[in-house]
Amino acid sequence: VQPPEKPLQAEEWNKLREDFQSPEIFEEVMLNSMIRCNSPIDVAKSLLTHLAKRNGDLAYNVLVKYLTLCVQQGQVSEIRDVYDIMKVRFKILESGAYNLLIRGLSNSDQWRMALTLLEEVKKMMIPSRTCYESCIKAASRHQEMKLAFELFDEMLAKDVVPTLDVLQSLFDFSRGMKDAELQKELFGILLYLRENQIYPHKTFMRSIKLWFESIPGGKWRGHLTNIKDSGQCPVCNHQLEDSNLTEEEYSNLSERIIRDVIHGTDTFRKTSPQEFEAFQTFVENRLPFDIVIDGLNVSHIKPRKMQCENLFDAVNCLAKENARLLVLGRKHMLINSSNWKREIMKEMQNKADFFFAENISEDDAFLLYATLRSGKHCKFVTRDFLRDHKACLPDSLTRHLFRKWQRGHQIVFPSVFSQQPAFRYDCVVQTTGDTWHIPYKDVFEEKYSYQVPRKWLCIQQK
């Protein structure tokens, strides 16, 4: 439906409703259409007035849709009015309405009211990322950086993951401020990027550079550069961290993961203890492997190809170097089908060891166990990111080692056909105190990416 250009009288709304094929959803469809066309507020208001007169009150979802239109247009006094109506009519609001109210108010001169609403939300649930970020940006815009960082730290403590957009705004709004506490908070964000292996995109990287250079009396200078293969920075001649774990780090990490991740409570949710024991015996009798492959994951690389052909290509490619391969498969791969041809499976089994798990098993624990038991040289192949396992690791040092080990040992298809040589240096944010090295991407990527950036920002204090 096309919304009217100007407010209508009751009989005109009734006429439109009668002519509509499903009159019972007319108002909902009309309001959605107004949101899409960004209709004038008074047109939407005339529909609400008509509804209120006809039904005696307004349904919750109608008010939320009207609120969406008000927020879209920054109509602050209307947002406040809707909130007052909702507060009286409904004991509690759901998160969608709070998101809208907080977003709408935080962009206005009534932004402190958004903070009050945030407190209200906290009594009932963990506020959403939108709620937190709207309030953080509002506080930053009004130069209340201490408040912005209190909210930011609280958000992280509640495991609400921030967008790069809000991280960038914290650097933007802190520019030129001489405040040791604030500097500590911003260095904390850089360490957060390190810990979570996040690569800023170009515009975020520029904000970081500008912030450093704006610190009064800080004498920081930033330069964009490419690190030499040896791991030396051409700008400051500093040697970046080595990408290899020491023997001690490796044995600590593998003990930790095998203990926490594999014998932890959550591994057997998707696999039985018997199956995992059978797998351990299978692995121990055949150690060490050079490469462990997540067969199901790799079989989906090229959607237009047969799954067994995708896996066959990978096995062929990796077996070239006489590497000892272990493929983690699923029992259904052994049943001849359009995706799993028996003769191709037989041929692969001549080139690699295969372990076929039950069809519901979770591969990650198997993948990690076989790789870590095989020793420091063993690599693994999957397009998955093993994010959950990082969460099982209790402290940030172990998490950092896990990420570092992963960066050096995970081969990601399809780049395996043109395998990137592993870097001698570690591609992650790092600092020596008077230098910072920050790897960055040209473009923003929402999804986690395995492609390691080649471009760096070097910042040094003169």
Side-chain angles (χ1 to χ4, degrees):
V1 288
Q2 201 46 41
E5 309 268 302
K6 56 184 200 325
L8 302 184
Q9 296 303 318
E11 52 278 8
E12 296 173 290
W13 281 121
N14 283 332
K15 175 90 178 70
L16 280 177
R17 187 174 193 259
E18 282 155 21
D19 296 343
F20 188 65
Q21 65 249 34
S22 325
E24 69 285 357
I25 57 164
F26 169 73
E27 284 81 16
E28 195 178 336
V29 174
M30 178 56 81
L31 283 163
N32 284 340
S33 178
M34 288 179 180
I35 294 168
R36 215 176 32 252
C37 305
N38 204 17
S39 297
I41 280 293
D42 53 357
V43 177
K45 220 171 173 173
S46 81
L47 175 59
L48 259 64
T49 310
H50 161 62
L51 272 176
K53 281 188 184 143
R54 194 185 75 200
N55 304 340
D57 66 5
L58 291 167
Y60 185 86
N61 64 338
V62 168
L63 283 167
V64 170
K65 287 188 194 303
Y66 178 62
L67 182 59
T68 306
L69 189 65
C70 297
V71 170
Q72 199 164 290
Q73 300 182 8
Q75 304 270 359
V76 184
S77 62
E78 286 298 316
I79 295 172
R80 291 200 63 158
D81 290 349
V82 176
Y83 174 56
D84 291 337
I85 296 171
M86 291 179 104
K87 210 166 47 174
V88 173
R89 287 271 321 280
F90 309 103
K91 277 274 184 294
I92 47 173
L93 312 182
E94 42 69 67
S95 59
Y98 277 119
N99 282 348
L100 283 166
L101 288 163
I102 289 175
R103 212 175 77 213
L105 292 166
S106 63
N107 282 324
S108 74
D109 54 358
Q110 314 268 322
W111 66 279
R112 287 194 184 277
M113 194 174 157
L115 299 174
T116 313
L117 285 180
L118 183 68
E119 290 307 313
E120 214 172 285
V121 176
K122 280 187 220 169
K123 290 178 190 143
M124 295 173 289
M125 54 188 142
I126 292 180
S128 69
R129 171 154 84 183
T130 312
C131 288
Y132 269 121
E133 296 199 346
S134 301
C135 291
I136 290 169
K137 284 184 176 172
S140 307
R141 269 198 301 275
H142 294 86
Q143 294 292 291
E144 299 215 9
M145 297 314 295
K146 191 167 179 291
L147 172 61
F149 275 108
E150 275 166 18
L151 291 169
F152 176 70
D153 293 337
E154 183 185 299
M155 175 183 182
L156 290 186
K158 291 188 173 161
D159 284 329
V160 182
V161 178
T163 58
L164 293 192
D165 184 45
V166 83
L167 300 183
Q168 184 180 336
S169 75
L170 288 167
F171 279 93
D172 286 339
F173 288 112
S174 303
R175 220 174 278 170
M177 291 189 180
K178 193 180 172 80
D179 177 343
E181 270 308 299
L182 185 67
Q183 279 183 40
K184 218 165 84 193
E185 288 281 5
L186 289 156
F187 288 155
I189 293 183
L190 294 174
L191 295 173
Y192 172 83
L193 298 179
R194 170 188 173 90
E195 164 114 352
N196 293 286
Q197 196 177 330
I198 296 167
Y199 302 123
H201 47 79
K202 209 185 235 160
T203 47
F204 182 13
M205 175 276 296
R206 285 209 189 96
S207 293
I208 295 172
K209 177 177 184 292
L210 288 170
W211 171 72
F212 267 104
E213 293 175 341
S214 79
I215 298 173
K219 299 201 173 74
W220 291 96
R221 276 283 151 269
H223 296 277
L224 308 188
T225 185
N226 292 344
I227 303 294
K228 297 176 183 165
D229 286 345
S230 64
Q232 194 185 39
C233 169
V235 180
C236 64
N237 296 324
H238 179 75
Q239 187 66 32
L240 294 194
E241 292 172 33
D242 192 329
S243 62
N244 286 321
L245 300 187
T246 64
E247 292 299 333
E248 190 186 352
E249 285 175 331
Y250 179 77
S251 68
N252 283 346
L253 179 70
S254 57
E255 272 168 38
R256 234 7 214 291
I257 291 186
I258 286 173
R259 192 179 71 225
D260 297 353
V261 176
I262 295 171
H263 301 303
T265 48
D266 62 347
T267 318
F268 298 125
R269 274 193 312 227
K270 300 197 180 99
T271 175
S272 67
Q274 294 79 5
E275 181 177 51
F276 199 74
E277 271 166 36
F279 175 67
Q280 283 174 293
T281 310
F282 175 91
V283 168
E284 296 302 325
N285 291 335
R286 292 170 177 75
L287 284 174
F289 296 103
D290 298 317
I291 301 174
V292 181
I293 301 168
D294 180 345
L296 196 59
N297 184 286
V298 168
S299 73
H300 289 290
I301 285 170
K302 294 185 177 153
R304 283 191 285 285
K305 274 181 99 161
M306 230 192 308
Q307 286 175 19
C308 61
E309 283 185 351
N310 278 328
L311 186 55
F312 187 64
D313 290 346
V315 167
N316 270 344
C317 170
L318 294 165
K320 278 192 192 112
E321 315 287 311
N322 294 326
R324 295 208 46 219
L325 309 183
L326 167 61
V327 179
L328 301 174
R330 290 282 205 279
K331 293 205 165 138
H332 73 253
M333 296 177 177
L334 292 167
I335 302 162
N336 200 20
S337 66
S338 59
N339 258 317
W340 298 99
K341 293 277 176 258
R342 189 162 285 146
E343 59 278 13
I344 297 184
M345 290 302 290
K346 279 222 167 69
E347 200 175 330
M348 276 194 272
Q349 283 165 284
N350 295 331
K351 301 188 174 199
D353 280 303
F354 270 76
F355 181 86
F356 295 99
E358 289 299 334
N359 293 330
I360 50 167
S361 302
E362 182 56 89
D363 287 359
D364 288 355
F366 292 75
L367 190 73
L368 287 171
Y369 182 83
T371 310
L372 288 163
R373 284 292 294 126
S374 290
K376 212 169 142 182
H377 72 289
C378 183
K379 302 253 195 290
F380 63 94
V381 182
T382 178
R383 293 184 303 162
D384 276 349
F385 186 52
L386 314 178
R387 260 198 190 306
D388 312 350
H389 298 297
K390 182 183 148 247
C392 306
L393 299 169
D395 59 288
S396 63
L397 182 66
T398 313
R399 283 199 294 269
H400 175 68
L401 289 179
F402 177 64
R403 280 275 184 260
K404 187 169 175 172
W405 171 76
Q406 187 181 5
R407 282 192 292 276
H409 292 78
Q410 182 166 5
I411 300 173
V412 179
F413 270 80
S415 71
V416 77
F417 298 117
S418 55
Q419 252 187 61
Q420 273 191 332
F423 291 119
R424 302 250 308 268
Y425 56 90
D426 196 10
C427 197
V428 65
V429 172
Q430 40 194 281
T431 179
T432 58
D434 56 359
T435 68
W436 281 87
H437 287 90
I438 300 169
Y440 68 93
K441 298 260 170 142
D442 273 336
V443 287
F444 169 66
E445 289 163 350
E446 176 61 72
K447 255 170 67 31
Y448 180 79
S449 150
Y450 310 90
Q451 294 298 325
V452 178
R454 287 305 189 88
K455 298 181 169 181
W456 289 73
L457 167 64
C458 159
I459 299 172
Q460 51 177 335
Q461 203 167 21
K462 284 284 187 248

